[in-house]
Amino acid sequence: MEGLRNLSRHFGWLALLCVVAAAFCYRLLLDSHPWSVTAALSAALLLFVLYAVFQRERIVKALTRGRTQSAVNTLVVVAASLAILGVLNYLAAQHNKRFDLTSSGLFTLAEQSRNVARSLEAPVDVYAFLRTADTDSRQEFDDLMDAYRLETPHLRPRVVDPIERRDLAELHNITEFGTVVFDKAGDTKRTTEISEESFTETLIELTTGETRAVYFLAGHEELSFEDSDEMTGFSLAAERLGNMNCEVKEFSLIPDLAVPGDAAAVVIAAPRKPLLDKERDILTEYAERRGGRLLVLLERYSPAEWREWLLGWGLRVLDATVLDPVGASLFGNYLLAAASGYSTTHPATEAFSAAAFLPIAVPVEADLQAMKDEVSGHAEAIVFTSEAAWGDTDKAVFQFDEGVDLEGPLPIAAYARVDPPASEAEETEERPEGRVIVVGDADFASNGYQHLSGNADLFANFVNWLAEQESLLGIAPNKAKASMIEMSRSEVLLLLCVVVLGLPGASLLAGGVVWWRRRNL
């Protein structure tokens, strides 16, 4: 103990050195070693406490001297003020909070952008090649980067004038002002648009690595991703998948008799022709033996063979049409079912909050009792309508018949997890589970309905979860919309009178009153 007491005479200086070391770490090592600042400050605090405990008599004696007491008091007040400011600054930097008061959330990243930023595991240099005089674009870039850097410390933005830094411009082969280059250890992607949507898509392209192949099944008169029809085509859905590092392809089970080996997911969109026995065996083997991923979008007219096939995995498509007063109140159409409830435990929907609208949907429920004996796994409904909706089983008259029709809320999408057979799982432990999502509608993802609220995001979430791109789940960013003020002629005239005549006139009147009163003093 006596040795520690003697040694404690030096703890005061050592504590000050630790504070200096903390400042050094904060400045240079915060990104790579975030624990270093906390460790240095903790050491400083511990040394200060030990010094105060073992050298308290010395401290009291020094503080009780006349001049010394006055000087020390001043120093203590200054030091305490600096310490409080330093601690507040450090805490503010470590727990940064922003409040976006704009009506459209202009300075708030979309959920998908936040997920992509948080998934970064290595530094990414971001070079914005902008002219010095282009202050608006520079400010826009800085605002966006500030928002991204709240989610990740791995983005390192830098604004470069390509005229002043021709070396960097030539290194990145810049031929156009406004080009933004994302550089991850030499692997670069670029965009010429400064927007959240563009930056997120570029980060996805840069960080998700190998392109995922998403196949659309053909051969049963399904909806096609190559069809650009403004209502029934799936070209916009394919475009959205393409922006998420997916390559969209088409395949047919006949004559191929197999699901392509590189398929990250298979989409079956509103088949009109029956499923043949051989085709069913191939798709079943794909899901159960190969850990395949299926997104099945069925319509009411889809043949019964498809429903019977899905029932083996505990997914039951009911023979009813969803009618929804919510859709009627918003769009004047009872056949437009509003998806307003989502599973809070499934990764594809747990954080999803936007409403989706499914035209002429059919209910899909999970029925574990119907799952085949040789299959192990789980089934669960994940998307629901509101309580106001009902499932009409009478195809002729759309009205609720108590005891006959299905009461809401109704499940309109469900998923099944298909575990690999036990014996084979022991042999191949890394074999992934099979995943199947069934939605009681296909049109919600078509060109005619993609723009409705969360339709496009819900479809993308399903595909991303099936393809194991969890970092891309969420609601995608939207382009900022220009705000316009519409004013009538009388309102414009009133504004002109107030601004051009009223305010200057009030100033002149006030000045005249003051001059008149002073003149009469």
Side-chain angles (χ1 to χ4, degrees):
M1 182 62 73
E2 190 61 30
L4 182 60
R5 184 184 297 279
N6 294 332
L7 188 62
S8 65
R9 295 177 180 176
H10 307 290
F11 284 178
W13 296 108
L14 290 175
L16 292 175
L17 286 176
C18 288
V19 172
V20 174
F24 173 80
C25 295
Y26 179 77
R27 181 66 179 171
L28 301 177
L29 302 177
L30 186 61
D31 290 343
S32 57
H33 301 85
W35 51 267
S36 58
V37 177
T38 303
L41 288 177
S42 300
L45 179 62
L46 178 62
L47 290 169
F48 270 129
V49 171
L50 291 175
Y51 182 79
V53 170
F54 290 105
Q55 301 296 327
R56 60 181 180 279
E57 295 178 358
R58 188 177 180 183
I59 295 174
V60 171
K61 185 176 180 181
L63 292 177
T64 52
R65 291 175 186 166
R67 285 186 176 180
T68 305
Q69 187 173 10
S70 176
V72 168
N73 287 340
T74 304
L75 286 175
V76 167
V77 171
V78 173
S81 301
L82 291 175
I84 292 173
L85 289 175
V87 170
L88 290 176
N89 185 50
Y90 176 72
L91 291 176
Q94 295 300 307
H95 306 281
N96 201 344
K97 295 292 182 185
R98 296 180 58 177
F99 299 94
D100 188 354
L101 302 180
T102 60
S103 60
S104 59
L106 191 61
F107 300 101
T108 303
L109 295 182
E111 183 186 359
Q112 186 183 74
S113 299
R114 296 198 298 271
N115 290 337
V116 170
R118 291 167 185 164
S119 69
L120 293 178
E121 297 177 349
V124 176
D125 294 306
V126 186
Y127 298 96
F129 290 91
L130 301 168
R131 287 177 290 190
T132 304
D134 192 358
T135 55
D136 290 344
S137 297
R138 285 177 170 241
Q139 185 62 52
E140 190 177 0
F141 174 78
D142 288 340
D143 290 340
L144 260 181
M145 283 293 104
D146 287 344
Y148 278 97
R149 282 170 59 81
L150 286 177
E151 308 296 334
T152 176
H154 295 304
L155 280 180
R156 299 188 300 206
R158 183 178 177 184
V159 180
V160 177
D161 188 324
I163 298 177
E164 296 176 357
R165 293 299 307 271
R166 298 187 67 84
D167 55 332
L168 283 176
E170 291 176 358
L171 176 65
H172 292 285
N173 193 24
I174 301 302
T175 59
E176 183 179 355
F177 288 115
T179 301
V180 180
V181 177
F182 291 74
D183 187 339
K184 180 186 175 186
D187 185 12
T188 62
K189 301 293 179 184
R190 63 185 59 210
T191 177
T192 56
E193 181 183 353
I194 299 178
S195 68
E196 181 190 347
E197 183 183 32
S198 176
F199 281 14
T200 298
E201 288 176 1
T202 307
L203 281 173
I204 291 172
E205 190 178 359
L206 182 68
T207 58
T208 52
E210 185 179 350
T211 301
R212 307 295 178 94
V214 176
Y215 282 87
F216 275 65
L217 180 65
H220 309 84
E221 296 185 7
E222 294 91 343
L223 299 177
S224 171
F225 73 90
E226 295 179 326
D227 186 358
S228 58
D229 184 272
E230 61 180 12
M231 288 302 297
T232 60
F234 257 60
S235 58
L236 293 180
E239 182 180 341
R240 175 70 182 276
L241 295 179
N243 293 334
M244 296 186 302
N245 206 31
C246 293
E247 184 179 4
V248 183
K249 304 177 182 179
E250 183 180 89
F251 83 107
S252 175
L253 291 170
I254 297 176
D256 297 342
L257 297 179
V259 176
D262 63 339
V266 172
V267 179
I268 303 173
R272 288 180 175 272
K273 296 295 184 183
L275 181 66
L276 303 179
D277 291 343
K278 182 62 178 176
E279 295 174 322
R280 181 178 58 194
D281 294 342
I282 295 171
L283 291 174
T284 301
E285 187 269 344
Y286 168 67
E288 295 181 359
R289 304 273 178 180
R290 293 171 51 190
R293 312 299 167 87
L294 294 168
L295 175 58
V296 186
L297 312 176
L298 291 186
E299 292 283 354
R300 181 155 184 164
Y301 54 73
S302 297
E305 289 82 356
W306 293 93
R307 305 183 185 205
E308 295 169 359
W309 168 57
L310 295 169
L311 194 58
W313 293 321
L315 301 169
R316 183 185 298 277
V317 181
L318 303 178
D319 188 17
T321 302
V322 179
L323 299 181
D324 195 343
V326 177
S329 62
L330 293 176
F331 303 100
N333 187 354
Y334 273 93
L335 292 170
L336 203 56
S340 54
Y342 300 96
S343 168
T344 57
T345 58
H346 193 275
T349 57
E350 61 181 354
F352 199 82
S353 57
F357 296 92
L358 288 69
I360 318 179
V362 295
V364 181
E365 66 177 14
D367 185 354
L368 293 176
Q369 300 296 326
M371 187 174 284
K372 293 181 293 187
D373 295 336
E374 64 270 25
V375 171
S376 62
H378 179 70
E380 182 180 336
I382 54 176
V383 181
F384 305 87
T385 67
S386 68
E387 292 185 1
W390 75 88
D392 197 290
T393 57
D394 184 352
K395 300 179 182 179
V397 181
F398 287 159
Q399 64 179 20
F400 180 72
D401 297 321
E402 190 169 357
V404 179
D405 293 334
L406 307 175
E407 296 185 21
L410 296 171
I412 48 180
Y415 93 100
R417 186 195 73 237
V418 183
D419 297 331
S423 58
E424 297 187 18
E426 294 172 358
E427 298 173 1
T428 55
E429 296 180 356
E430 296 183 358
R431 175 176 294 173
E433 65 190 20
R435 296 178 178 178
V436 182
I437 290 180
V438 180
V439 184
D441 179 58
D443 293 327
F444 82 99
S446 67
N447 294 348
Y449 295 93
Q450 269 253 331
H451 64 283
L452 285 182
S453 191
N455 283 23
D457 292 320
L458 186 62
F459 173 77
N461 268 20
F462 287 156
V463 175
N464 281 325
W465 179 71
L466 291 171
E468 297 187 25
Q469 297 192 121
E470 280 80 2
S471 64
L472 306 187
L473 297 176
I475 298 174
N478 291 317
K479 293 182 178 179
K481 297 178 180 178
S483 299
M484 297 181 63
I485 300 177
E486 295 184 5
M487 302 179 68
S488 65
R489 186 180 180 82
S490 59
E491 290 170 336
V492 172
L493 184 60
L494 177 61
L495 182 64
L496 182 67
C497 291
V498 171
V499 175
V500 178
L501 300 177
L503 295 179
S507 299
L508 287 174
L509 180 60
V513 170
V514 172
W515 172 80
W516 179 258
R517 294 189 62 180
R518 287 187 174 181
R519 183 172 178 272
N520 294 323
L521 288 177

mmCIF file of all heavy atoms in Angstrom, residues 227-256:
data_model
loop_
_atom_site.group_PDB
_atom_site.id
_atom_site.type_symbol
_atom_site.label_atom_id
_atom_site.label_comp_id
_atom_site.label_asym_id
_atom_site.label_seq_id
_atom_site.Cartn_x
_atom_site.Cartn_y
_atom_site.Cartn_z
ATOM 1 N N ASP A 227 -42.795 -8.366 -70.836
ATOM 2 C CA ASP A 227 -43.990 -7.675 -71.304
ATOM 3 C C ASP A 227 -44.028 -6.267 -70.704
ATOM 4 O O ASP A 227 -44.027 -6.101 -69.478
ATOM 5 C CB ASP A 227 -45.230 -8.468 -70.867
ATOM 6 C CG ASP A 227 -46.517 -7.878 -71.437
ATOM 7 O OD1 ASP A 227 -46.441 -6.837 -72.130
ATOM 8 O OD2 ASP A 227 -47.591 -8.456 -71.171
ATOM 9 N N SER A 228 -44.066 -5.244 -71.551
ATOM 10 C CA SER A 228 -44.089 -3.861 -71.072
ATOM 11 C C SER A 228 -45.485 -3.257 -71.127
ATOM 12 O O SER A 228 -45.616 -2.032 -71.079
ATOM 13 C CB SER A 228 -43.110 -3.017 -71.890
ATOM 14 O OG SER A 228 -43.450 -3.076 -73.266
ATOM 15 N N ASP A 229 -46.500 -4.092 -71.259
ATOM 16 C CA ASP A 229 -47.873 -3.584 -71.243
ATOM 17 C C ASP A 229 -48.099 -2.760 -69.976
ATOM 18 O O ASP A 229 -47.680 -3.152 -68.884
ATOM 19 C CB ASP A 229 -48.863 -4.754 -71.280
ATOM 20 C CG ASP A 229 -50.310 -4.264 -71.361
ATOM 21 O OD1 ASP A 229 -50.909 -4.026 -70.289
ATOM 22 O OD2 ASP A 229 -50.810 -4.116 -72.492
ATOM 23 N N GLU A 230 -48.766 -1.636 -70.116
ATOM 24 C CA GLU A 230 -48.883 -0.707 -68.993
ATOM 25 C C GLU A 230 -49.734 -1.261 -67.852
ATOM 26 O O GLU A 230 -49.693 -0.731 -66.743
ATOM 27 C CB GLU A 230 -49.464 0.627 -69.453
ATOM 28 C CG GLU A 230 -50.850 0.536 -70.036
ATOM 29 C CD GLU A 230 -51.368 1.881 -70.476
ATOM 30 O OE1 GLU A 230 -50.573 2.829 -70.531
ATOM 31 O OE2 GLU A 230 -52.564 1.977 -70.784
ATOM 32 N N MET A 231 -50.475 -2.323 -68.078
ATOM 33 C CA MET A 231 -51.273 -2.908 -67.008
ATOM 34 C C MET A 231 -50.768 -4.285 -66.590
ATOM 35 O O MET A 231 -50.511 -4.539 -65.416
ATOM 36 C CB MET A 231 -52.741 -3.002 -67.438
ATOM 37 C CG MET A 231 -53.445 -1.656 -67.501
ATOM 38 S SD MET A 231 -53.415 -0.763 -65.913
ATOM 39 C CE MET A 231 -54.342 -1.879 -64.874
ATOM 40 N N THR A 232 -50.649 -5.200 -67.520
ATOM 41 C CA THR A 232 -50.361 -6.595 -67.174
ATOM 42 C C THR A 232 -48.880 -6.963 -67.248
ATOM 43 O O THR A 232 -48.502 -8.048 -66.792
ATOM 44 C CB THR A 232 -51.140 -7.536 -68.098
ATOM 45 O OG1 THR A 232 -50.732 -7.289 -69.459
ATOM 46 C CG2 THR A 232 -52.634 -7.310 -67.979
ATOM 47 N N GLY A 233 -48.048 -6.091 -67.822
ATOM 48 C CA GLY A 233 -46.633 -6.423 -67.949
ATOM 49 C C GLY A 233 -45.908 -6.429 -66.615
ATOM 50 O O GLY A 233 -46.347 -5.824 -65.635
ATOM 51 N N PHE A 234 -44.766 -7.125 -66.593
ATOM 52 C CA PHE A 234 -43.933 -7.181 -65.390
ATOM 53 C C PHE A 234 -42.578 -6.510 -65.627
ATOM 54 O O PHE A 234 -41.619 -6.770 -64.900
ATOM 55 C CB PHE A 234 -43.718 -8.641 -64.971
ATOM 56 C CG PHE A 234 -44.579 -9.055 -63.802
ATOM 57 C CD1 PHE A 234 -45.955 -9.002 -63.890
ATOM 58 C CD2 PHE A 234 -44.013 -9.485 -62.618
ATOM 59 C CE1 PHE A 234 -46.754 -9.378 -62.829
ATOM 60 C CE2 PHE A 234 -44.795 -9.862 -61.541
ATOM 61 C CZ PHE A 234 -46.171 -9.806 -61.635
ATOM 62 N N SER A 235 -42.511 -5.661 -66.648
ATOM 63 C CA SER A 235 -41.215 -5.064 -66.990
ATOM 64 C C SER A 235 -40.702 -4.143 -65.883
ATOM 65 O O SER A 235 -39.497 -4.075 -65.635
ATOM 66 C CB SER A 235 -41.329 -4.287 -68.304
ATOM 67 O OG SER A 235 -42.328 -3.278 -68.207
ATOM 68 N N LEU A 236 -41.602 -3.422 -65.187
ATOM 69 C CA LEU A 236 -41.148 -2.544 -64.108
ATOM 70 C C LEU A 236 -40.621 -3.346 -62.926
ATOM 71 O O LEU A 236 -39.656 -2.947 -62.270
ATOM 72 C CB LEU A 236 -42.301 -1.630 -63.659
ATOM 73 C CG LEU A 236 -42.776 -0.601 -64.686
ATOM 74 C CD1 LEU A 236 -43.918 0.229 -64.118
ATOM 75 C CD2 LEU A 236 -41.625 0.310 -65.107
ATOM 76 N N ALA A 237 -41.256 -4.478 -62.661
ATOM 77 C CA ALA A 237 -40.763 -5.345 -61.585
ATOM 78 C C ALA A 237 -39.369 -5.868 -61.926
ATOM 79 O O ALA A 237 -38.479 -5.924 -61.063
ATOM 80 C CB ALA A 237 -41.734 -6.499 -61.356
ATOM 81 N N ALA A 238 -39.170 -6.241 -63.189
ATOM 82 C CA ALA A 238 -37.849 -6.724 -63.610
ATOM 83 C C ALA A 238 -36.818 -5.608 -63.520
ATOM 84 O O ALA A 238 -35.664 -5.839 -63.127
ATOM 85 C CB ALA A 238 -37.934 -7.260 -65.037
ATOM 86 N N GLU A 239 -37.227 -4.393 -63.879
ATOM 87 C CA GLU A 239 -36.307 -3.259 -63.780
ATOM 88 C C GLU A 239 -35.900 -3.019 -62.333
ATOM 89 O O GLU A 239 -34.746 -2.748 -62.031
ATOM 90 C CB GLU A 239 -36.974 -2.008 -64.354
ATOM 91 C CG GLU A 239 -36.097 -0.777 -64.347
ATOM 92 C CD GLU A 239 -36.824 0.426 -64.920
ATOM 93 O OE1 GLU A 239 -37.832 0.243 -65.619
ATOM 94 O OE2 GLU A 239 -36.379 1.557 -64.657
ATOM 95 N N ARG A 240 -36.864 -3.130 -61.444
ATOM 96 C CA ARG A 240 -36.569 -2.941 -60.014
ATOM 97 C C ARG A 240 -35.591 -4.009 -59.531
ATOM 98 O O ARG A 240 -34.641 -3.705 -58.796
ATOM 99 C CB ARG A 240 -37.867 -3.023 -59.218
ATOM 100 C CG ARG A 240 -37.700 -2.973 -57.710
ATOM 101 C CD ARG A 240 -37.261 -1.597 -57.248
ATOM 102 N NE ARG A 240 -37.057 -1.550 -55.820
ATOM 103 C CZ ARG A 240 -38.033 -1.347 -54.935
ATOM 104 N NH1 ARG A 240 -39.273 -1.127 -55.361
ATOM 105 N NH2 ARG A 240 -37.779 -1.314 -53.662
ATOM 106 N N LEU A 241 -35.790 -5.252 -59.945
ATOM 107 C CA LEU A 241 -34.861 -6.309 -59.542
ATOM 108 C C LEU A 241 -33.476 -6.067 -60.134
ATOM 109 O O LEU A 241 -32.457 -6.334 -59.489
ATOM 110 C CB LEU A 241 -35.397 -7.667 -59.992
ATOM 111 C CG LEU A 241 -36.713 -8.127 -59.341
ATOM 112 C CD1 LEU A 241 -37.143 -9.477 -59.890
ATOM 113 C CD2 LEU A 241 -36.563 -8.204 -57.823
ATOM 114 N N GLY A 242 -33.442 -5.560 -61.366
ATOM 115 C CA GLY A 242 -32.154 -5.263 -61.990
ATOM 116 C C GLY A 242 -31.374 -4.214 -61.214
ATOM 117 O O GLY A 242 -30.141 -4.265 -61.137
ATOM 118 N N ASN A 243 -32.086 -3.250 -60.623
ATOM 119 C CA ASN A 243 -31.422 -2.225 -59.813
ATOM 120 C C ASN A 243 -30.919 -2.764 -58.480
ATOM 121 O O ASN A 243 -30.217 -2.065 -57.761
ATOM 122 C CB ASN A 243 -32.390 -1.065 -59.549
ATOM 123 C CG ASN A 243 -32.730 -0.304 -60.808
ATOM 124 O OD1 ASN A 243 -31.951 -0.293 -61.768
ATOM 125 N ND2 ASN A 243 -33.883 0.319 -60.831
ATOM 126 N N MET A 244 -31.312 -3.985 -58.145
ATOM 127 C CA MET A 244 -30.873 -4.595 -56.886
ATOM 128 C C MET A 244 -29.892 -5.728 -57.148
ATOM 129 O O MET A 244 -29.849 -6.721 -56.425
ATOM 130 C CB MET A 244 -32.089 -5.096 -56.096
ATOM 131 C CG MET A 244 -33.009 -3.966 -55.664
ATOM 132 S SD MET A 244 -34.345 -4.496 -54.593
ATOM 133 C CE MET A 244 -35.128 -5.711 -55.632
ATOM 134 N N ASN A 245 -29.107 -5.563 -58.204
ATOM 135 C CA ASN A 245 -28.050 -6.513 -58.525
ATOM 136 C C ASN A 245 -28.589 -7.900 -58.856
ATOM 137 O O ASN A 245 -27.949 -8.910 -58.566
ATOM 138 C CB ASN A 245 -27.045 -6.613 -57.369
ATOM 139 C CG ASN A 245 -25.678 -7.044 -57.842
ATOM 140 O OD1 ASN A 245 -25.287 -6.744 -58.964
ATOM 141 N ND2 ASN A 245 -24.961 -7.758 -57.007
ATOM 142 N N CYS A 246 -29.783 -7.965 -59.429
ATOM 143 C CA CYS A 246 -30.348 -9.246 -59.870
ATOM 144 C C CYS A 246 -30.381 -9.285 -61.393
ATOM 145 O O CYS A 246 -30.658 -8.274 -62.041
ATOM 146 C CB CYS A 246 -31.764 -9.430 -59.331
ATOM 147 S SG CYS A 246 -31.878 -9.634 -57.542
ATOM 148 N N GLU A 247 -30.106 -10.425 -61.938
ATOM 149 C CA GLU A 247 -30.250 -10.641 -63.375
ATOM 150 C C GLU A 247 -31.520 -11.465 -63.602
ATOM 151 O O GLU A 247 -31.629 -12.591 -63.101
ATOM 152 C CB GLU A 247 -29.035 -11.371 -63.938
ATOM 153 C CG GLU A 247 -29.098 -11.528 -65.453
ATOM 154 C CD GLU A 247 -27.883 -12.235 -66.011
ATOM 155 O OE1 GLU A 247 -27.031 -12.674 -65.207
ATOM 156 O OE2 GLU A 247 -27.786 -12.367 -67.241
ATOM 157 N N VAL A 248 -32.462 -10.881 -64.315
ATOM 158 C CA VAL A 248 -33.762 -11.521 -64.503
ATOM 159 C C VAL A 248 -33.746 -12.345 -65.789
ATOM 160 O O VAL A 248 -33.366 -11.844 -66.849
ATOM 161 C CB VAL A 248 -34.881 -10.464 -64.551
ATOM 162 C CG1 VAL A 248 -36.239 -11.134 -64.665
ATOM 163 C CG2 VAL A 248 -34.835 -9.588 -63.302
ATOM 164 N N LYS A 249 -34.161 -13.607 -65.667
ATOM 165 C CA LYS A 249 -34.158 -14.510 -66.812
ATOM 166 C C LYS A 249 -35.470 -15.279 -66.858
ATOM 167 O O LYS A 249 -36.263 -15.235 -65.917
ATOM 168 C CB LYS A 249 -32.999 -15.506 -66.708
ATOM 169 C CG LYS A 249 -31.615 -14.881 -66.574
ATOM 170 C CD LYS A 249 -30.567 -15.962 -66.407
ATOM 171 C CE LYS A 249 -29.181 -15.380 -66.218
ATOM 172 N NZ LYS A 249 -28.143 -16.441 -66.039
ATOM 173 N N GLU A 250 -35.647 -16.009 -67.935
ATOM 174 C CA GLU A 250 -36.852 -16.828 -68.093
ATOM 175 C C GLU A 250 -36.437 -18.275 -68.345
ATOM 176 O O GLU A 250 -35.403 -18.541 -68.963
ATOM 177 C CB GLU A 250 -37.680 -16.304 -69.273
ATOM 178 C CG GLU A 250 -38.993 -17.041 -69.477
ATOM 179 C CD GLU A 250 -39.767 -16.479 -70.662
ATOM 180 O OE1 GLU A 250 -39.557 -16.956 -71.787
ATOM 181 O OE2 GLU A 250 -40.565 -15.558 -70.435
ATOM 182 N N PHE A 251 -37.222 -19.205 -67.847
ATOM 183 C CA PHE A 251 -36.939 -20.604 -68.148
ATOM 184 C C PHE A 251 -38.252 -21.365 -68.210
ATOM 185 O O PHE A 251 -39.294 -20.922 -67.715
ATOM 186 C CB PHE A 251 -36.004 -21.227 -67.089
ATOM 187 C CG PHE A 251 -36.720 -21.706 -65.866
ATOM 188 C CD1 PHE A 251 -36.896 -23.060 -65.625
ATOM 189 C CD2 PHE A 251 -37.226 -20.795 -64.943
ATOM 190 C CE1 PHE A 251 -37.548 -23.496 -64.480
ATOM 191 C CE2 PHE A 251 -37.887 -21.226 -63.800
ATOM 192 C CZ PHE A 251 -38.054 -22.576 -63.566
ATOM 193 N N SER A 252 -38.193 -22.525 -68.815
ATOM 194 C CA SER A 252 -39.367 -23.385 -68.936
ATOM 195 C C SER A 252 -39.002 -24.793 -68.486
ATOM 196 O O SER A 252 -37.881 -25.266 -68.722
ATOM 197 C CB SER A 252 -39.856 -23.405 -70.391
ATOM 198 O OG SER A 252 -40.930 -24.327 -70.531
ATOM 199 N N LEU A 253 -39.922 -25.438 -67.825
ATOM 200 C CA LEU A 253 -39.652 -26.794 -67.355
ATOM 201 C C LEU A 253 -39.710 -27.807 -68.480
ATOM 202 O O LEU A 253 -39.219 -28.931 -68.332
ATOM 203 C CB LEU A 253 -40.657 -27.163 -66.262
ATOM 204 C CG LEU A 253 -40.494 -26.390 -64.948
ATOM 205 C CD1 LEU A 253 -41.674 -26.652 -64.032
ATOM 206 C CD2 LEU A 253 -39.187 -26.747 -64.264
ATOM 207 N N ILE A 254 -40.325 -27.430 -69.562
ATOM 208 C CA ILE A 254 -40.379 -28.309 -70.730
ATOM 209 C C ILE A 254 -39.822 -27.544 -71.919
ATOM 210 O O ILE A 254 -40.356 -26.481 -72.253
ATOM 211 C CB ILE A 254 -41.823 -28.752 -71.022
ATOM 212 C CG1 ILE A 254 -42.346 -29.567 -69.838
ATOM 213 C CG2 ILE A 254 -41.906 -29.568 -72.312
ATOM 214 C CD1 ILE A 254 -43.799 -29.977 -69.985
ATOM 215 N N PRO A 255 -38.737 -27.954 -72.518
ATOM 216 C CA PRO A 255 -38.124 -29.283 -72.406
ATOM 217 C C PRO A 255 -36.958 -29.369 -71.413
ATOM 218 O O PRO A 255 -36.306 -30.406 -71.348
ATOM 219 C CB PRO A 255 -37.622 -29.512 -73.818
ATOM 220 C CG PRO A 255 -37.195 -28.157 -74.266
ATOM 221 C CD PRO A 255 -38.156 -27.194 -73.646
ATOM 222 N N ASP A 256 -36.657 -28.285 -70.646
ATOM 223 C CA ASP A 256 -35.447 -28.304 -69.806
ATOM 224 C C ASP A 256 -35.498 -29.382 -68.726
ATOM 225 O O ASP A 256 -34.484 -29.976 -68.364
ATOM 226 C CB ASP A 256 -35.255 -26.943 -69.156
ATOM 227 C CG ASP A 256 -35.020 -25.838 -70.170
ATOM 228 O OD1 ASP A 256 -34.663 -26.185 -71.313
ATOM 229 O OD2 ASP A 256 -35.204 -24.664 -69.833
#
